[in-house]
Amino acid sequence: MKIVMLSGSIVGSKTKTAMLKAMEMFSRAYPEHEAVLLDLAEYTLEFSDGRNYMEYEGDTKYVTETIMAADALIIGTPIFQASIPATLKNIFDLLPVNAFRDKVVGTVVTAGSAKHFLIVEQQLKPILAYMKAHIVPTYVFIEEKDFLRKEIVNDDILFRLERLVEDTVLTVEAFDTIRMKQDEKYDF
């Protein structure tokens, strides 16, 4: 299994801190699987102009092809001005409509206000569903008060982050089993 941890912002440190912790948890619990952290702050990405993602070059090509090759993603996003950042939306725009078909997607959200949990439900989940993702129903919502000096200090958040990693892996395995059973119905 290949999983991509996507830190969907080019500013701030909280989302990257959460994604690094998720990466650490995944690597410790599932060393037999491959994990890649894509921190959008480390790449220079072109704006989507409608081309096929394979026609881009450089960082844009690397990021989109890495996402397309993944079995699962955990997408981390901050909430800015009651919305996901443009850098994350650009990733979605660079990919094809069915980019997440047969992929499991979990989410981690960092926000300054408890009211921003609605953004996941009203913006992010509909985009992921439109792109055919199998969405892990629960997500990890982390507020500013849960961080101290670029560390997550709330034990409940750490527990839920660990559970999200586990749920993502288990969901991939469940859908693999379902697909295998469906494929067995056909004799080719």
Side-chain angles (χ1 to χ4, degrees), residues 33-149:
H33 298 301
E34 180 184 352
V36 175
L37 175 66
L38 294 177
D39 178 7
L40 296 185
E42 296 176 1
Y43 299 97
T44 302
L45 299 174
E46 295 180 52
F47 284 108
S48 172
D49 59 15
R51 284 183 278 168
N52 184 297
Y53 73 95
M54 292 181 282
E55 295 176 18
Y56 289 93
E57 296 178 358
D59 287 348
T60 307
K61 182 179 181 86
Y62 172 75
V63 168
T64 56
E65 287 183 349
T66 301
I67 290 169
M68 291 299 292
D71 299 303
L73 291 95
I74 295 181
I75 297 174
T77 182
I79 303 299
F80 296 141
Q81 306 291 36
S83 184
I84 62 173
T87 51
L88 181 57
K89 179 62 169 82
N90 187 49
I91 292 294
F92 297 144
D93 292 343
L94 287 164
L95 298 172
V97 171
N98 296 328
F100 298 141
R101 181 178 303 281
D102 297 328
K103 294 184 192 319
V104 172
V105 179
T107 52
V108 175
V109 179
T110 58
S113 165
K115 295 174 184 161
H116 283 153
F117 82 93
L118 292 169
I119 304 310
V120 179
E121 300 295 337
Q122 299 295 319
Q123 291 182 14
L124 190 55
K125 282 186 175 182
I127 293 168
L128 296 173
Y130 178 77
M131 295 178 77
K132 312 297 187 280
H134 297 298
I135 303 168
V136 177
T138 56
Y139 53 90
V140 179
F141 185 84
I142 312 172
E143 292 183 72
E144 191 157 337
K145 67 182 179 182
D146 299 316
F147 290 94
L148 180 65
R149 294 188 201 109

